Amino acid sequence: MITQNKGEWSELYVFLKLLGDGILYAADADLNKKEDLYYPLIEILRKENG
């Protein structure tokens, strides 16, 4: 059985959501999404220490 904590599952969800949508919206200081400003995702990179 796979056991992960809530934070690890949410990272996987965000990763799949970003891949599915293909864009990442910008936000203001109050974390409200700005519909007119977004970043298209070409690729997702991950760098691990060690």
Side-chain angles (χ1 to χ4, degrees), residues 7-24:
E8 291 169 339
W9 283 113
S10 62
E11 288 175 4
L12 177 62
Y13 172 76
V14 169
F15 176 73
L16 294 174
K17 175 89 169 117
L18 288 173
L19 283 179
D21 291 347
I23 56 175
L24 177 64

Side-chain angles (χ1 to χ4, degrees), residues 4-41:
Q4 304 291 329
N5 65 28
K6 193 182 295 187
E8 291 169 339
W9 283 113
S10 62
E11 288 175 4
L12 177 62
Y13 172 76
V14 169
F15 176 73
L16 294 174
K17 175 89 169 117
L18 288 173
L19 283 179
D21 291 347
I23 56 175
L24 177 64
Y25 286 98
D28 61 11
D30 296 324
L31 297 180
N32 297 316
K33 181 168 74 170
K34 292 186 173 184
E35 295 286 340
D36 58 336
L37 181 59
Y38 62 90
Y39 304 97
L41 296 177

